[in-house]
Each structure stands twice: as structure tokens, then as C-alpha cells.
Amino acid sequence: TNRRTLILWSAGGMFLSSIMLVVCLLGYFSKMASLFFVISFVSFFEIGLGPIPWLIVAEMFEAKYVATAMSASCQLNWVCNFIVGLVFPYLQSSLGAFSFVPFAVVLLFTIIFVIVWLPETKGVTPEELRDDIVRSLSHLLLCDDGSNENHSSSVGNPIDIEWRRAMDDLKQQEEEDMKRGTYNYGFEPITTSIVGAPESDWQTTITGGTGT
């Protein structure tokens, strides 16, 4: 099963379980029903949002970056767990039966994030995943001005695309200068006429004023 599919099933099940828990806490269902939805909440967590993020982190990065990425994600995970454990008593005292509504909102945003932005990592190398992300971002970051249509179909790093565009513009400018006869071939022309000048004058011009 694909990673995104498992996360969607997990987040969707947890979202519905949170909503039903609120309904049960409001007194519309029995306590046994609320216990069932607590178990379903944990069960849906274990099929997706529990293990899959660790797989995605390991699959999204090259081997030399996996340790750093896993360390950062682990720290963020435990910080969030600490915040939830610290804040939940205040949520329960202030929101009462609606204390699970903030979790339902977070799960809703998770579903939207997975559908819109999260790439599928199963069977994809980090290099292929990186190219897909760059390809999708290049359409947002780069705007084709119509002067050269082949730039809009370029695939690669946006910096490389801008570099190639600058080199093409420079080459075009050099070709126009060659046609006009104004191209500088790498040296500055001698503008000071030394023909017919006294020997001391042109020696001074050549040596920069340092005589022997």
C-alpha cells in the first residue's frame, strides 16, 4: 500500500473518531461507545500516522542526510508530544466536551496537506523525488517572459535554469556585438598614440613610468 494512502486512511479515521468522541462526550451515545471510538482512534493512528512518517523521512533524503533528518524529526515529534501532554488538561477544563475539536482540526489540515503537497515515496529514489519536487516548484518560482519558450519546459534546479538563461542572453548579446563590429575580444585597444613620439615618451607609456 502506498504511503499517502495509509496516511489518508489513518488521518481520516482519526478525524471521524475525534468527531464521534465529541458527540459521545455531549451525551448522545453511551460510555461504551466513547470507549470504542478511543480504541478506533488509537488503531487508525497505528496504521498510518504512527509508523509511516518515519518511513517517509528515511525515503525522502539521501543516505548521508538520513541521520540528521531522522534526528530533527524525532526531536520535533517529542516536543509536540510534550506540548500536547502539557496543554490537554487546560483544553479539557476550558472546552469540556469539545476538547477533541482542536485535534480534529489538525487532522483535517493533515488530510489537506497529504492530498495537495505530500509526495509519494514508495518505490521512488531520493533523486527522483527531488527532481519531481523541483519540477513542481519551478512552475511556481519561474515565470516565462515569452522571449525564449524552451525555458518553460526546462527541468532541473531553478538556479541552473536561471544560469542557462543568463548565459543564453549573454551569448546573444555577444553575437549582436560581433555583427556590429563592436565586440571586445578580451583586450582593451591601445588608445594612446605612441607612433612618432620621442623615445622617452613611449618608454614611459609602456613601463608605466618606471624607468631603468
Side-chain angles (χ1 to χ4, degrees), residues 19-70:
I19 298 299
M20 294 308 299
L21 274 173
V22 173
V23 175
C24 291
L25 292 175
L26 290 174
Y28 291 96
F29 295 100
S30 64
K31 295 181 179 180
M32 291 300 298
S34 63
L35 178 61
F36 170 79
F37 288 115
V38 169
I39 296 174
S40 68
F41 184 93
V42 177
S43 300
F44 278 111
F45 174 79
E46 293 299 333
I47 69 172
L49 288 178
I52 296 302
W54 302 106
L55 291 176
I56 291 180
V57 172
E59 293 172 345
M60 286 185 66
F61 296 92
E62 300 178 8
K64 58 183 177 180
Y65 302 122
V66 169
T68 303
M70 292 291 287

Short mmCIF file of all heavy atoms in Angstrom, two decimals, residues 19-70:
data_model
loop_
_atom_site.label_atom_id
_atom_site.label_comp_id
_atom_site.label_asym_id
_atom_site.label_seq_id
_atom_site.Cartn_x
_atom_site.Cartn_y
_atom_site.Cartn_z
N ILE A 19 -14.45 13.32 16.05
CA ILE A 19 -15.80 13.91 15.97
C ILE A 19 -16.79 13.08 16.79
O ILE A 19 -17.61 13.62 17.56
CB ILE A 19 -16.25 14.01 14.51
CG1 ILE A 19 -15.31 14.95 13.72
CG2 ILE A 19 -17.69 14.49 14.43
CD1 ILE A 19 -15.28 16.36 14.23
N MET A 20 -16.69 11.76 16.66
CA MET A 20 -17.61 10.89 17.40
C MET A 20 -17.35 10.93 18.90
O MET A 20 -18.28 10.79 19.70
CB MET A 20 -17.51 9.46 16.87
CG MET A 20 -17.99 9.29 15.45
SD MET A 20 -19.65 9.96 15.16
CE MET A 20 -20.62 8.96 16.29
N LEU A 21 -16.09 11.12 19.29
CA LEU A 21 -15.80 11.28 20.71
C LEU A 21 -16.47 12.53 21.28
O LEU A 21 -16.99 12.51 22.41
CB LEU A 21 -14.29 11.35 20.93
CG LEU A 21 -13.55 10.02 21.06
CD1 LEU A 21 -12.04 10.25 21.10
CD2 LEU A 21 -14.01 9.29 22.33
N VAL A 22 -16.44 13.60 20.51
CA VAL A 22 -17.13 14.83 20.95
C VAL A 22 -18.62 14.57 21.09
O VAL A 22 -19.26 14.99 22.07
CB VAL A 22 -16.85 15.98 19.95
CG1 VAL A 22 -17.71 17.20 20.30
CG2 VAL A 22 -15.38 16.34 19.95
N VAL A 23 -19.18 13.85 20.12
CA VAL A 23 -20.62 13.54 20.18
C VAL A 23 -20.93 12.68 21.41
O VAL A 23 -21.94 12.89 22.10
CB VAL A 23 -21.04 12.82 18.88
CG1 VAL A 23 -22.50 12.37 18.97
CG2 VAL A 23 -20.88 13.75 17.69
N CYS A 24 -20.06 11.70 21.69
CA CYS A 24 -20.27 10.85 22.86
C CYS A 24 -20.15 11.64 24.16
O CYS A 24 -20.93 11.44 25.11
CB CYS A 24 -19.28 9.69 22.86
SG CYS A 24 -19.54 8.47 21.56
N LEU A 25 -19.18 12.55 24.22
CA LEU A 25 -18.99 13.36 25.43
C LEU A 25 -20.15 14.33 25.65
O LEU A 25 -20.42 14.75 26.78
CB LEU A 25 -17.68 14.13 25.36
CG LEU A 25 -16.40 13.27 25.42
CD1 LEU A 25 -15.17 14.14 25.20
CD2 LEU A 25 -16.31 12.55 26.76
N LEU A 26 -20.85 14.67 24.57
CA LEU A 26 -22.03 15.53 24.70
C LEU A 26 -23.25 14.75 25.19
O LEU A 26 -24.31 15.36 25.43
CB LEU A 26 -22.34 16.20 23.36
CG LEU A 26 -21.34 17.29 22.91
CD1 LEU A 26 -21.67 17.77 21.51
CD2 LEU A 26 -21.34 18.45 23.89
N GLY A 27 -23.12 13.43 25.31
CA GLY A 27 -24.20 12.62 25.88
C GLY A 27 -25.12 11.98 24.87
O GLY A 27 -26.16 11.43 25.26
N TYR A 28 -24.77 12.01 23.57
CA TYR A 28 -25.64 11.42 22.57
C TYR A 28 -25.48 9.90 22.47
O TYR A 28 -26.35 9.22 21.94
CB TYR A 28 -25.38 12.05 21.20
CG TYR A 28 -25.82 13.49 21.12
CD1 TYR A 28 -24.92 14.53 21.32
CD2 TYR A 28 -27.15 13.80 20.85
CE1 TYR A 28 -25.33 15.85 21.23
CE2 TYR A 28 -27.56 15.12 20.77
CZ TYR A 28 -26.65 16.14 20.97
OH TYR A 28 -27.07 17.45 20.90
N PHE A 29 -24.35 9.38 22.94
CA PHE A 29 -24.12 7.94 22.93
C PHE A 29 -23.62 7.52 24.31
O PHE A 29 -23.24 8.35 25.15
CB PHE A 29 -23.11 7.54 21.85
CG PHE A 29 -23.59 7.79 20.45
CD1 PHE A 29 -23.17 8.92 19.75
CD2 PHE A 29 -24.47 6.92 19.84
CE1 PHE A 29 -23.62 9.16 18.47
CE2 PHE A 29 -24.92 7.15 18.54
CZ PHE A 29 -24.49 8.27 17.85
N SER A 30 -23.57 6.21 24.53
CA SER A 30 -23.19 5.68 25.83
C SER A 30 -21.68 5.77 26.03
O SER A 30 -20.91 6.06 25.11
CB SER A 30 -23.64 4.21 25.96
OG SER A 30 -22.96 3.40 25.00
N LYS A 31 -21.26 5.48 27.26
CA LYS A 31 -19.83 5.48 27.57
C LYS A 31 -19.09 4.37 26.85
O LYS A 31 -17.91 4.52 26.52
CB LYS A 31 -19.63 5.36 29.08
CG LYS A 31 -20.17 6.55 29.87
CD LYS A 31 -19.93 6.37 31.36
CE LYS A 31 -20.45 7.57 32.14
NZ LYS A 31 -20.23 7.41 33.61
N MET A 32 -19.76 3.26 26.61
CA MET A 32 -19.13 2.17 25.87
C MET A 32 -18.82 2.61 24.43
O MET A 32 -17.81 2.21 23.87
CB MET A 32 -20.04 0.94 25.86
CG MET A 32 -20.20 0.28 27.22
SD MET A 32 -18.62 -0.28 27.90
CE MET A 32 -18.16 -1.49 26.67
N ALA A 33 -19.67 3.42 23.86
CA ALA A 33 -19.42 3.94 22.52
C ALA A 33 -18.21 4.85 22.51
O ALA A 33 -17.39 4.81 21.59
CB ALA A 33 -20.65 4.67 22.00
N SER A 34 -18.08 5.69 23.53
CA SER A 34 -16.90 6.57 23.61
C SER A 34 -15.62 5.74 23.76
O SER A 34 -14.59 6.08 23.18
CB SER A 34 -17.05 7.54 24.77
OG SER A 34 -17.11 6.84 26.01
N LEU A 35 -15.69 4.63 24.53
CA LEU A 35 -14.53 3.75 24.65
C LEU A 35 -14.18 3.13 23.31
O LEU A 35 -13.00 3.00 22.95
CB LEU A 35 -14.83 2.66 25.69
CG LEU A 35 -13.72 1.62 25.91
CD1 LEU A 35 -12.44 2.28 26.40
CD2 LEU A 35 -14.20 0.55 26.89
N PHE A 36 -15.20 2.74 22.55
CA PHE A 36 -14.96 2.16 21.22
C PHE A 36 -14.25 3.16 20.31
O PHE A 36 -13.32 2.80 19.57
CB PHE A 36 -16.29 1.73 20.60
CG PHE A 36 -16.19 1.35 19.15
CD1 PHE A 36 -15.69 0.11 18.77
CD2 PHE A 36 -16.58 2.25 18.16
CE1 PHE A 36 -15.59 -0.23 17.44
CE2 PHE A 36 -16.48 1.92 16.83
CZ PHE A 36 -15.98 0.67 16.46
N PHE A 37 -14.66 4.42 20.34
CA PHE A 37 -14.05 5.43 19.46
C PHE A 37 -12.64 5.80 19.92
O PHE A 37 -11.81 6.19 19.10
CB PHE A 37 -14.94 6.66 19.36
CG PHE A 37 -16.19 6.43 18.56
CD1 PHE A 37 -17.43 6.48 19.16
CD2 PHE A 37 -16.11 6.12 17.21
CE1 PHE A 37 -18.58 6.26 18.42
CE2 PHE A 37 -17.25 5.89 16.46
CZ PHE A 37 -18.50 5.95 17.07
N VAL A 38 -12.37 5.69 21.22
CA VAL A 38 -10.99 5.88 21.68
C VAL A 38 -10.09 4.79 21.12
O VAL A 38 -8.98 5.04 20.64
CB VAL A 38 -10.93 5.89 23.22
CG1 VAL A 38 -9.49 5.80 23.70
CG2 VAL A 38 -11.58 7.14 23.78
N ILE A 39 -10.60 3.53 21.15
CA ILE A 39 -9.83 2.41 20.60
C ILE A 39 -9.65 2.58 19.09
O ILE A 39 -8.57 2.32 18.54
CB ILE A 39 -10.52 1.08 20.93
CG1 ILE A 39 -10.53 0.85 22.44
CG2 ILE A 39 -9.83 -0.09 20.21
CD1 ILE A 39 -11.31 -0.38 22.88
N SER A 40 -10.69 3.04 18.40
CA SER A 40 -10.57 3.24 16.96
C SER A 40 -9.60 4.37 16.64
O SER A 40 -8.86 4.30 15.65
CB SER A 40 -11.95 3.54 16.36
OG SER A 40 -12.43 4.81 16.80
N PHE A 41 -9.57 5.40 17.48
CA PHE A 41 -8.62 6.50 17.29
C PHE A 41 -7.19 5.98 17.35
O PHE A 41 -6.36 6.28 16.47
CB PHE A 41 -8.86 7.56 18.36
CG PHE A 41 -8.01 8.79 18.22
CD1 PHE A 41 -8.47 9.89 17.52
CD2 PHE A 41 -6.74 8.85 18.79
CE1 PHE A 41 -7.69 11.03 17.38
CE2 PHE A 41 -5.96 9.99 18.66
CZ PHE A 41 -6.44 11.08 17.95
N VAL A 42 -6.88 5.18 18.36
CA VAL A 42 -5.54 4.63 18.51
C VAL A 42 -5.23 3.64 17.38
O VAL A 42 -4.11 3.61 16.85
CB VAL A 42 -5.39 3.95 19.89
CG1 VAL A 42 -4.01 3.30 20.02
CG2 VAL A 42 -5.61 4.95 21.00
N SER A 43 -6.21 2.84 16.98
CA SER A 43 -5.99 1.85 15.91
C SER A 43 -5.68 2.53 14.58
O SER A 43 -4.75 2.13 13.87
CB SER A 43 -7.23 0.96 15.78
OG SER A 43 -7.49 0.27 16.97
N PHE A 44 -6.44 3.57 14.24
CA PHE A 44 -6.16 4.29 13.00
C PHE A 44 -4.80 4.99 13.05
O PHE A 44 -4.13 5.13 12.03
CB PHE A 44 -7.27 5.30 12.71
CG PHE A 44 -8.47 4.71 12.06
CD1 PHE A 44 -9.68 4.61 12.75
CD2 PHE A 44 -8.41 4.23 10.76
CE1 PHE A 44 -10.80 4.06 12.15
CE2 PHE A 44 -9.53 3.69 10.14
CZ PHE A 44 -10.73 3.58 10.84
N PHE A 45 -4.41 5.44 14.24
CA PHE A 45 -3.09 6.05 14.38
C PHE A 45 -1.99 5.05 14.08
O PHE A 45 -0.99 5.38 13.43
CB PHE A 45 -2.94 6.60 15.80
CG PHE A 45 -1.55 7.12 16.10
CD1 PHE A 45 -1.15 8.37 15.67
CD2 PHE A 45 -0.65 6.34 16.82
CE1 PHE A 45 0.13 8.84 15.94
CE2 PHE A 45 0.63 6.80 17.10
CZ PHE A 45 1.03 8.05 16.66
N GLU A 46 -2.16 3.81 14.50
CA GLU A 46 -1.11 2.80 14.35
C GLU A 46 -0.96 2.31 12.91
O GLU A 46 0.08 1.74 12.57
CB GLU A 46 -1.39 1.60 15.26
CG GLU A 46 -1.28 1.93 16.74
CD GLU A 46 0.11 2.40 17.13
OE1 GLU A 46 1.08 2.01 16.45
OE2 GLU A 46 0.23 3.15 18.12
N ILE A 47 -1.96 2.51 12.06
CA ILE A 47 -1.83 2.03 10.67
C ILE A 47 -1.24 3.08 9.75
O ILE A 47 -0.91 2.77 8.60
CB ILE A 47 -3.18 1.57 10.11
CG1 ILE A 47 -4.12 2.77 9.91
CG2 ILE A 47 -3.82 0.50 10.98
CD1 ILE A 47 -5.40 2.43 9.17
N GLY A 48 -1.09 4.31 10.22
CA GLY A 48 -0.62 5.36 9.31
C GLY A 48 0.26 6.40 9.95
O GLY A 48 1.48 6.40 9.80
N LEU A 49 -0.35 7.30 10.70
CA LEU A 49 0.38 8.42 11.26
C LEU A 49 1.39 8.00 12.33
O LEU A 49 2.28 8.79 12.66
CB LEU A 49 -0.60 9.44 11.85
CG LEU A 49 -1.40 10.25 10.83
CD1 LEU A 49 -2.37 11.18 11.52
CD2 LEU A 49 -0.47 11.04 9.92
N GLY A 50 1.27 6.80 12.85
CA GLY A 50 2.27 6.32 13.80
C GLY A 50 3.57 5.92 13.13
O GLY A 50 4.62 6.53 13.37
N PRO A 51 3.56 4.90 12.23
CA PRO A 51 4.81 4.42 11.64
C PRO A 51 5.22 5.09 10.33
O PRO A 51 6.42 5.20 10.05
CB PRO A 51 4.52 2.93 11.40
CG PRO A 51 3.04 2.89 11.15
CD PRO A 51 2.44 3.98 11.99
N ILE A 52 4.25 5.52 9.50
CA ILE A 52 4.57 5.97 8.14
C ILE A 52 5.48 7.20 8.11
O ILE A 52 6.39 7.26 7.27
CB ILE A 52 3.28 6.21 7.34
CG1 ILE A 52 2.51 4.91 7.18
CG2 ILE A 52 3.60 6.80 5.97
CD1 ILE A 52 3.29 3.81 6.48
N PRO A 53 5.30 8.20 8.97
CA PRO A 53 6.22 9.35 8.90
C PRO A 53 7.69 8.97 9.04
O PRO A 53 8.56 9.60 8.42
CB PRO A 53 5.75 10.24 10.06
CG PRO A 53 4.31 9.94 10.19
CD PRO A 53 4.18 8.48 9.90
N TRP A 54 7.99 7.94 9.82
CA TRP A 54 9.38 7.51 9.95
C TRP A 54 9.89 6.91 8.65
O TRP A 54 11.06 7.09 8.28
CB TRP A 54 9.51 6.51 11.09
CG TRP A 54 9.05 7.04 12.40
CD1 TRP A 54 7.88 6.72 13.05
CD2 TRP A 54 9.70 8.00 13.21
NE1 TRP A 54 7.78 7.42 14.22
CE2 TRP A 54 8.88 8.22 14.34
CE3 TRP A 54 10.89 8.71 13.10
CZ2 TRP A 54 9.23 9.11 15.35
CZ3 TRP A 54 11.24 9.60 14.10
CH2 TRP A 54 10.41 9.79 15.21
N LEU A 55 9.03 6.21 7.93
CA LEU A 55 9.43 5.67 6.62
C LEU A 55 9.64 6.79 5.61
O LEU A 55 10.59 6.77 4.83
CB LEU A 55 8.37 4.69 6.12
CG LEU A 55 8.21 3.37 6.86
CD1 LEU A 55 7.06 2.58 6.29
CD2 LEU A 55 9.50 2.57 6.81
N ILE A 56 8.75 7.76 5.62
CA ILE A 56 8.83 8.85 4.64
C ILE A 56 10.11 9.65 4.83
O ILE A 56 10.79 10.01 3.87
CB ILE A 56 7.58 9.74 4.73
CG1 ILE A 56 6.36 8.99 4.23
CG2 ILE A 56 7.78 11.03 3.94
CD1 ILE A 56 5.09 9.78 4.28
N VAL A 57 10.44 9.94 6.08
CA VAL A 57 11.67 10.71 6.34
C VAL A 57 12.89 9.96 5.82
O VAL A 57 13.79 10.54 5.21
CB VAL A 57 11.81 11.00 7.85
CG1 VAL A 57 13.16 11.63 8.15
CG2 VAL A 57 10.69 11.93 8.31
N ALA A 58 12.94 8.65 6.04
CA ALA A 58 14.08 7.86 5.58
C ALA A 58 14.13 7.75 4.07
O ALA A 58 15.21 7.60 3.49
CB ALA A 58 14.03 6.47 6.21
N GLU A 59 12.98 7.81 3.40
CA GLU A 59 12.93 7.65 1.95
C GLU A 59 13.07 8.96 1.20
O GLU A 59 13.37 8.96 0.00
CB GLU A 59 11.61 6.96 1.55
CG GLU A 59 11.50 5.54 2.02
CD GLU A 59 10.14 4.94 1.79
OE1 GLU A 59 9.18 5.71 1.53
OE2 GLU A 59 10.01 3.71 1.89
N MET A 60 12.85 10.08 1.86
CA MET A 60 12.89 11.37 1.17
C MET A 60 14.30 11.91 1.02
O MET A 60 14.56 12.74 0.15
CB MET A 60 12.04 12.40 1.93
CG MET A 60 10.56 12.22 1.77
SD MET A 60 9.62 13.55 2.56
CE MET A 60 10.10 14.95 1.54
N PHE A 61 15.23 11.47 1.86
CA PHE A 61 16.57 12.05 1.89
C PHE A 61 17.61 11.02 1.46
O PHE A 61 17.41 9.81 1.61
CB PHE A 61 16.91 12.56 3.29
CG PHE A 61 16.04 13.68 3.76
CD1 PHE A 61 14.89 13.43 4.50
CD2 PHE A 61 16.36 14.99 3.47
CE1 PHE A 61 14.08 14.45 4.94
CE2 PHE A 61 15.56 16.03 3.91
CZ PHE A 61 14.42 15.76 4.63
N GLU A 62 18.71 11.51 0.91
CA GLU A 62 19.83 10.65 0.58
C GLU A 62 20.45 10.09 1.85
O GLU A 62 20.24 10.60 2.96
CB GLU A 62 20.87 11.43 -0.22
CG GLU A 62 20.34 11.99 -1.53
CD GLU A 62 21.38 12.81 -2.27
OE1 GLU A 62 22.55 12.80 -1.83
OE2 GLU A 62 21.03 13.46 -3.26
N ALA A 63 21.22 9.01 1.69
CA ALA A 63 21.74 8.28 2.85
C ALA A 63 22.56 9.18 3.78
O ALA A 63 22.50 9.04 5.00
CB ALA A 63 22.57 7.09 2.38
N LYS A 64 23.31 10.11 3.21
CA LYS A 64 24.16 10.96 4.05
C LYS A 64 23.38 11.97 4.86
O LYS A 64 23.92 12.57 5.80
CB LYS A 64 25.20 11.67 3.18
CG LYS A 64 24.59 12.54 2.09
CD LYS A 64 25.68 13.15 1.22
CE LYS A 64 25.09 13.98 0.08
NZ LYS A 64 26.16 14.58 -0.76
N TYR A 65 22.10 12.20 4.51
CA TYR A 65 21.29 13.16 5.25
C TYR A 65 20.24 12.49 6.13
O TYR A 65 19.54 13.18 6.87
CB TYR A 65 20.58 14.11 4.28
CG TYR A 65 21.49 14.89 3.38
CD1 TYR A 65 21.39 14.80 2.00
CD2 TYR A 65 22.47 15.72 3.92
CE1 TYR A 65 22.24 15.52 1.18
CE2 TYR A 65 23.30 16.45 3.10
CZ TYR A 65 23.19 16.34 1.72
OH TYR A 65 24.03 17.05 0.90
N VAL A 66 20.09 11.18 6.05
CA VAL A 66 19.02 10.49 6.76
C VAL A 66 19.16 10.65 8.27
O VAL A 66 18.19 10.91 8.98
CB VAL A 66 18.98 9.00 6.37
CG1 VAL A 66 18.06 8.22 7.30
CG2 VAL A 66 18.51 8.84 4.93
N ALA A 67 20.39 10.49 8.79
CA ALA A 67 20.59 10.58 10.24
C ALA A 67 20.19 11.95 10.77
O ALA A 67 19.50 12.06 11.80
CB ALA A 67 22.05 10.29 10.58
N THR A 68 20.58 13.01 10.07
CA THR A 68 20.22 14.36 10.50
C THR A 68 18.72 14.59 10.42
O THR A 68 18.10 15.16 11.34
CB THR A 68 20.95 15.40 9.65
OG1 THR A 68 22.36 15.18 9.73
CG2 THR A 68 20.63 16.82 10.10
N ALA A 69 18.10 14.14 9.33
CA ALA A 69 16.66 14.32 9.16
C ALA A 69 15.87 13.54 10.20
O ALA A 69 14.90 14.05 10.77
CB ALA A 69 16.24 13.89 7.75
N MET A 70 16.30 12.31 10.48
CA MET A 70 15.61 11.50 11.48
C MET A 70 15.76 12.10 12.87
O MET A 70 14.82 12.10 13.67
CB MET A 70 16.17 10.08 11.46
CG MET A 70 15.83 9.30 10.20
SD MET A 70 14.08 8.88 10.08
CE MET A 70 13.97 7.60 11.32
#
